[in-house]
Amino acid sequence: MSTTPRSALENVTIRRARPEDAAAGGHICYEAFCKINADHGFPPELPEMGAAVGMLSMMFSHPKFWCVVAEQNGRIVGSNCMDERSAVFSVGPITVDPGIQNSGIGRRLMQAVLDRSREQKAPSVRLLQAAFHNRSLSLYTKLGFDAREPMSLMQGQPLQFRIDGCAVRVAAMSDLDGANRVCERVHGHNRSSELSDAIAQGTARVVERQRRITGYVSAFGYRGHAVGETNLDLQALIAATDSFGGPGMIVPTRNAELFRWCLEKELRVLQPLTLMTIGLYNEPAGAYLPSILY
Ligand SMILES: CC(C)(COP(=O)(O)OP(=O)(O)OC[C@H]1O[C@@H](n2cnc3c(N)ncnc32)[C@H](O)[C@@H]1OP(=O)(O)O)[C@@H](O)C(=O)NCCC(=O)NCCS
């Protein structure tokens, strides 16, 4: 593998991202993910350049995302983002121009957001790592992240059936407290800000048993997460969806009952991922699906 000399770092600066950096950052993000996936025989995660630019446009302008770019001689060569919408901060996507990777820029982009998380006194920082990528696994581990959970990205035909005793419906703002309680019970913290964004966008669903909220999904696909008191609650949400959204949904592989159920429903595994964390981490006390951030 070719390695760019560390001297390439000399004129690289890290600064806060601005909304107008999204086009250049999105270009690199798209190219970097296409290349790393193609090099390992995996399909691209982002369907086209516009999706990467759109994602970074949202993150670079959202008041609760803290994003940085690496600049070399006035040209953007990489970026990284941190979602600060809940007590748990989450990192990604981090990408470096494929022509200049492995020269220390990724380390600086990651260090910048970790410095910020310490300033903000975030109790926990999390991310999902592409498990086939030796470099990111090594870099994140050296920076203090612990590998916590193996995950499987899954995709397939929508199942479109109902599970007896479980009512799935569109979430409303009035469901927020009930849904947050489930998240707190499972994870020890809520994701209220993310969930209210999702409710406003119309992607969130709740599941009720005996007229009590027992689980929710903010959205299926990379951007969404789900929690349930039991696997049955997640199965009801999964069974009801009309799409697994973009690259697919992420299932904790060690939740063997749920993972096996998905496989029996003919969903396919596309890619392995690893949940990595710094700081506080509770073993979840219930069922969950992470987003691509955590
Ligand atoms: C992941 C990515 C952001 C890292 O940025 P980078 O600039 O290439 O990485 P850096 O040079 O800063 O750091 C790589 C580190 O991993 C180490 N490393 C690389 N390959 C390794 C291996 N096989 N085993 C052990 N260590 C390895 C390097 O020595 C270096 O460590 P050091 O900083 O202690 O010297 C970049 O490679 C990228 O954009 N990849 C494609 C997109 C991607 O995968 N994003 C992350 C998704 S989880």
Side-chain angles (χ1 to χ4, degrees):
M1 180 183 61
S2 69
T3 301
T4 311
R6 298 262 145 173
S7 57
L9 262 184
E10 277 165 15
N11 49 0
V12 172
T13 52
I14 308 292
R15 65 160 172 83
R16 187 89 190 265
R18 299 186 279 260
E20 59 271 26
D21 299 325
H27 189 92
I28 290 168
C29 182
Y30 179 72
E31 296 293 344
F33 277 114
C34 280
K35 179 159 185 351
I36 189 71
N37 278 28
D39 286 353
H40 292 82
F42 288 94
E45 287 167 58
L46 293 157
E48 32 89 33
M49 183 81 71
V53 174
M55 176 176 66
L56 291 194
S57 275
M58 185 283 282
M59 291 179 168
F60 287 4
S61 50
H62 195 296
K64 297 245 170 164
F65 280 70
W66 198 84
C67 305
V68 286
V69 293
E71 224 174 20
Q72 187 175 42
N73 303 324
R75 187 178 76 89
I76 288 173
V77 292
S79 66
N80 194 13
C81 292
M82 186 161 64
D83 183 346
E84 303 183 346
R85 284 179 295 176
S86 77
V88 172
F89 285 13
S90 52
V91 179
I94 176 171
T95 52
V96 171
D97 182 335
I100 197 175
Q101 286 175 4
N102 218 24
S103 64
I105 296 171
R107 173 178 272 272
R108 287 183 59 190
L109 285 166
M110 196 52 101
Q111 197 63 63
V113 301
L114 291 178
D115 289 348
R116 159 82 178 180
S117 74
R118 275 187 282 274
E119 279 164 30
Q120 297 296 304
K121 301 189 172 27
S124 179
V125 183
R126 302 183 188 178
L127 56 80
L128 260 78
Q129 184 262 341
F132 58 74
H133 192 192
N134 298 342
R135 188 187 306 158
S136 61
L137 174 68
S138 308
L139 176 65
Y140 303 163
T141 302
K142 283 196 265 188
L143 288 172
F145 284 93
D146 295 340
R148 289 285 181 189
E149 279 290 338
M151 300 284 175
S152 294
L153 174 65
M154 303 192 83
Q155 185 55 279
Q157 290 298 319
L159 308 180
Q160 299 269 269
F161 68 90
R162 290 190 60 240
I163 293 184
D164 281 350
C166 300
V168 175
R169 60 170 175 79
V170 173
M173 285 299 175
S174 54
D175 296 320
L176 208 49
D177 286 349
N180 285 340
R181 270 195 292 277
V182 182
C183 192
E184 285 157 11
R185 178 172 160 169
V186 173
H187 288 301
H189 61 88
N190 68 50
R191 301 176 75 164
S192 190
S193 180
E194 271 177 86
L195 179 57
S196 55
D197 281 356
I199 292 172
Q201 285 157 12
T203 58
R205 303 285 182 272
V206 290
V207 53
E208 290 177 312
R209 284 187 281 122
Q210 296 172 336
R211 301 184 177 213
R212 198 172 59 82
I213 292 176
T214 50
Y216 74 85
V217 59
S218 66
F220 278 100
Y222 265 11
R223 289 198 199 169
H225 67 276
V227 288
E229 288 183 358
T230 65
N231 281 338
L232 183 70
D233 299 303
L234 288 193
Q235 285 163 353
L237 291 163
I238 293 169
T241 189
D242 55 9
S243 160
F244 292 109
M249 67 170 174
I250 304 169
V251 179
T253 314
R254 283 197 312 139
N255 185 344
E257 183 189 70
L258 182 67
F259 183 40
R260 197 171 292 115
W261 181 85
C262 291
L263 291 169
E264 281 161 3
K265 297 286 176 268
E266 299 190 358
L267 301 184
R268 307 277 297 172
V269 177
L270 295 189
Q271 187 180 314
L273 297 157
T274 303
L275 172 67
M276 300 186 81
T277 69
I278 288 180
L280 194 71
Y281 182 75
N282 302 328
E283 196 64 36
Y288 75 105
L289 305 176
S291 69
I292 192 61
L293 292 176
Y294 76 99

